[in-house]
Each structure stands twice: as structure tokens, then as C-alpha cells.
Amino acid sequence: MTKTALSAQLASWIDSHFDEEVGFLQKIVRIPTDTPPGNNAPHADAVAELITAWGWQAEKHPVPAATVKDYGMESITNLIVRRKYAGDGPTLALNAHGDVVPPGEGWSKQPYGGEIENGRIYGRATTVSKGDFATYIFAVRALEALGVPLKGALELHFTYDEEFGGLLGPAWLLENGLSKPDLVIGPGFSYNVVTAHNACLQFEVTVHGKATHGSMPETGHDALQAATKVLQAIYAKLPELKKISSAIPGITHPTMIVGRIDGGTNTNVVPGKVVLKMDRRMIPEEDPVAVEAEVRAMIAAAVDGLPGIRVEIKRLLLARALRPLPGHEKLLASVQANALAVLGEAIPANGSALYTDARLYGEHGIPVVLYGAGPRTLMESNAKQADENLALDDLRKATKVIAMTLLDFLAA
């Protein structure tokens, strides 16, 4: 049977099971996985139970409780679903993460309601990335429903640590020898394929001074005044960062922000301690070691010579860039060809200013591309914002594209 005929069968199966796919997505969206606090094992347990309806079994790989607690989360159970086929061939993994940022305010729908309105499903993680739990599972089911000989293996990796950096998600699976796929597809959007993304450094900067009564400020050392010097140094650097450009389409220039400030004890007390949490995004061409040294030197120089002031700089995260690896071009070509057939338009390959835990596969030498259910741009879906949503038509089309891509690699 020709690829065209098999692709038509895949599409037909997905269409006839689409209500079931949407219902599955509703069920997994309705189980909160706010991270923090990161109590995510119950969601993994529920997913593992749901897939038994198709005769599948999910391996549960709980991360030790003490490790999770030290990391700042409450529970993590990562899942691997292995589908081994008769012939020799590649092992292709599909990875999506179930942990999410907390809903926040401003929702017009229930954040964990999974409501459907005007052809869209609403809820936290419908787009990033519980939507791709459904995309990948139903693509695999469609492939197996063809009844044709298959080779190699498929693995579904459902992990629960992307929002904290992935070190107890994909990295934990890989470093513990639980998986070593040949190729990986991770979550993305329907109208482009991501082959590279930015790196990220995050720091906690603690400015120490000496608290004193507000009526006698000269008897203390104001940590907030010193922290203001640090803030000024950070924001003065932004015009220079905008002049550094990436050669990768979709990636522009480095960025730097302060995302959180905590400090002080009361209105009438000179602040004795202020904590800044900052984020420095790096384009793939930058060297993280050099960037970190530069940021540390910039902060130290900002408070140098201020009496009674001491600064501690703690690195919270180093997420390295995702770069194309040899072998990714085969995945890319397959996804693009199948997307053209399903969407009726050519989709570009580009980079992303975000960072993802897909980079961790790349750090282990495994070629990765990102593709899944979603809109043309992140902002269209309200991903990680109020009223996050996913167009059901994009879910349907992405499932077809992934199923056809799996056929390209695994048909015997």
C-alpha cells in the first residue's frame, strides 16, 4: 500500500476517534499540576491508569522523595510507555511535560475546567503541553491501528519537571539509563518546527545591609538602596544586549530581566536584606561560562565601595541552548512534508526564544525537533496566561502530522 493510502487511513482513524482524543485531553487538564508547589505524581498515576484502556502499560519512575524536596517540589513520577515492534529500526521518543505554571488571575473560564467553546478547549496546559499528551498518544494509536508491519520502537516520555528546568524529568530518565532513544520529538506548535532555542541563566541575588529604625537611617546600611544600584546596572545593560544578534531565524537577541524582588521587614525599618531573582536569556551563539562571569562582575561592580553592603550571587538554573544535531534534518524533512500535506501550507523551521527540557536530549547527543498542537505564535494561545486555550482543529491536524511522521520512520 502506498504512503498516500496509508496516510489517508491514519487521518480517517484520527477523525473517527477525535471525540475520544478531546475527552482524554479534558480528563488530564482537569487534574492540577501547579509547579510550584509541584505535587505531580497524582497526575502521572492518572495518566498511567487511563492508558490501560488500550492495553498499554506505563512504567512509573518516581524520583526519590528527598531529591524532589531538596529540588523545591513535592512529588515527581515520570512515565515511559514503550512500544516495541518486530523489525530492527530506530527508537523514536515523544516527550511532553505535565507540570504547569500556576493559573494566576484573570480567567474567564475555569483554569482546570477543560471547557469547550467556539471550537477551542480552555484550561491550563491545553497548549503547553498536556495537549501533546493527547497528540502523541493518539498518533501512536492511529499508527498501530493500521495493522501494517512496523520496525524499531516508540517511547512516550511524560515528565513533570519542565517548569523547574527538567533535571528531574528527561535528564533524570537519561542519566539513570532508563532510556536512550535515537530521535526525539518534543512539544511545539502546528505551524512551525523548532530546531533550536535559547539558553537561560537564572540567579538569586541577595543584598545584605543592616536594618535599623526608620527614624535613624544613618545608623544602618540600606540594602534596598544598594539593590537599586544592581537594578540600574542590569537595565543599563539592555541596549547593549539588543545589539547582539543571532543568525538563527526566530531568535533575535539576548534578554535580561528581574522577575521578583523581596525584602524589608516593615514600613518604618531600613531594609537589611533584599533578594532579587533575575533571568538572563542567551542566544545559542553565546558562551554560558562567559555570560555568567560577566553578570557576576556587573553585580559586584554595582555595589563596590558601598559601606556595610555585602552581596551573595547564587545560580538557580543553567539551561543550555538547543542546537541542531546531525540526524535532526530527517525528522525536520518528514514533519515539514507531512505538515504540507495536512495543513496545505509549508511550515518553516526556526529557533525559539524560550528554553525547554528538549535541550536535555540534545545534551546527550540525541537529535530533537519540536512539533505538536498549537497556534502560529505562543501569544495566540495565551500559553502560561489567563484563558490558555487550544484550537481543536490544530489538535486534530497536529495528531495527523505526527502519525504520518511516525509512519515514515517506523514502517517496515
Side-chain angles (χ1 to χ4, degrees):
M1 191 176 296
T2 66
K3 167 70 187 298
T4 301
L6 290 172
S7 295
Q9 286 191 23
L10 288 172
S12 177
W13 189 96
I14 290 165
D15 287 338
S16 64
H17 291 79
F18 191 63
D19 287 346
E20 183 185 356
E21 182 175 0
V22 173
F24 173 83
L25 178 53
Q26 287 178 303
K27 288 176 183 177
I28 64 172
V29 165
R30 288 169 179 162
I31 304 170
T33 49
D34 294 358
T35 304
N39 181 25
N40 296 333
H43 190 276
D45 290 339
V47 172
E49 177 62 27
L50 286 169
I51 67 172
T52 62
W54 312 310
W56 290 4
Q57 182 178 2
E59 298 174 9
K60 294 183 181 181
H61 296 286
V63 180
T67 302
V68 176
K69 183 178 179 181
D70 289 345
Y71 196 58
M73 295 173 64
E74 294 183 1
S75 70
I76 298 175
T77 297
N78 297 308
L79 302 178
I80 300 178
V81 180
R82 302 184 200 267
R83 308 297 295 164
K84 181 75 176 98
Y85 306 120
D88 292 334
T91 296
L92 199 159
L94 305 170
N95 169 245
H97 67 92
D99 56 313
V100 303
V101 296
E105 299 178 352
W107 287 74
S108 66
K109 308 284 191 296
Q110 290 297 317
Y112 290 110
E115 300 173 52
I116 295 174
E117 182 179 294
N118 297 326
R120 294 179 175 272
I121 179 170
Y122 287 81
R124 176 57 85 228
T126 49
T127 299
V128 182
S129 78
K130 290 177 184 176
D132 283 326
F133 277 53
T135 304
Y136 298 157
I137 285 174
F138 279 78
V140 175
R141 289 188 65 201
L143 175 72
E144 295 183 351
L146 286 177
V148 300
L150 299 173
K151 63 184 180 182
L154 270 171
E155 292 182 0
L156 294 164
H157 295 180
F158 297 136
T159 55
Y160 288 88
D161 175 32
E162 202 271 350
E163 301 299 345
F164 265 41
L167 299 182
L168 297 185
W172 193 81
L173 294 178
L174 296 167
E175 289 166 5
N176 282 278
L178 297 167
S179 177
K180 183 65 187 293
D182 299 300
L183 300 163
V184 173
I185 299 175
F189 289 170
S190 304
Y191 299 93
N192 62 81
V193 190
V194 172
T195 59
H197 66 56
N198 276 349
C200 179
L201 271 167
Q202 293 180 348
F203 299 98
E204 180 180 83
V205 181
T206 304
V207 182
H208 297 276
K210 179 185 177 183
T212 190
H213 198 282
S215 64
M216 301 178 292
E218 66 280 357
T219 63
H221 301 289
D222 193 329
L224 183 55
Q225 283 194 36
T228 300
K229 298 284 189 182
V230 175
L231 289 169
Q232 289 171 339
I234 290 170
Y235 290 112
K237 188 76 172 176
L238 300 189
E240 182 180 329
L241 294 183
K242 288 184 178 180
K243 297 176 183 177
I244 304 171
S245 59
S246 174
I248 299 172
I251 296 177
T252 55
H253 55 77
T255 62
M256 185 161 53
I257 67 163
V258 174
R260 179 165 179 161
I261 303 175
D262 298 285
T265 54
N266 204 2
T267 311
N268 61 346
V269 178
V270 170
K273 184 174 79 171
V274 173
V275 179
L276 312 176
K277 291 189 177 181
M278 61 177 293
D279 178 297
R280 169 66 157 85
R281 300 295 166 109
M282 298 170 284
I283 61 174
E285 292 90 340
E286 288 186 286
D287 176 8
V289 174
V291 170
E292 180 166 359
E294 181 183 81
V295 170
R296 289 178 178 273
M298 175 190 69
I299 293 169
V303 298
D304 186 40
L306 296 180
I309 297 298
R310 178 172 60 88
V311 174
E312 291 180 84
I313 306 170
K314 176 184 176 183
R315 186 215 286 173
L316 300 176
L317 172 72
L318 169 55
R320 299 185 183 277
L322 174 66
R323 297 178 176 87
L325 292 174
H328 91 284
E329 66 280 354
K330 298 177 183 177
L331 270 177
L332 173 60
S334 175
V335 171
Q336 286 182 311
N338 291 315
L340 177 61
V342 172
L343 302 175
E345 63 178 89
I347 64 170
N350 54 31
S352 172
L354 306 175
Y355 74 89
T356 76
D357 54 9
R359 74 190 190 280
L360 298 162
Y361 293 99
E363 288 180 17
H364 282 75
I366 303 167
V368 184
V369 302
L370 306 183
Y371 185 83
R376 295 179 187 278
T377 69
L378 183 72
M379 300 306 291
E380 291 176 44
S381 65
N382 288 338
K384 300 192 177 184
Q385 303 175 59
D387 287 345
E388 181 175 344
N389 67 87
L390 173 64
L392 295 180
D393 192 50
D394 287 343
L395 175 64
R396 184 194 302 263
K397 290 175 177 176
T399 306
K400 293 177 180 179
V401 173
I402 291 294
M404 293 173 187
T405 300
L406 298 180
L407 180 66
D408 287 341
F409 284 86
L410 302 172

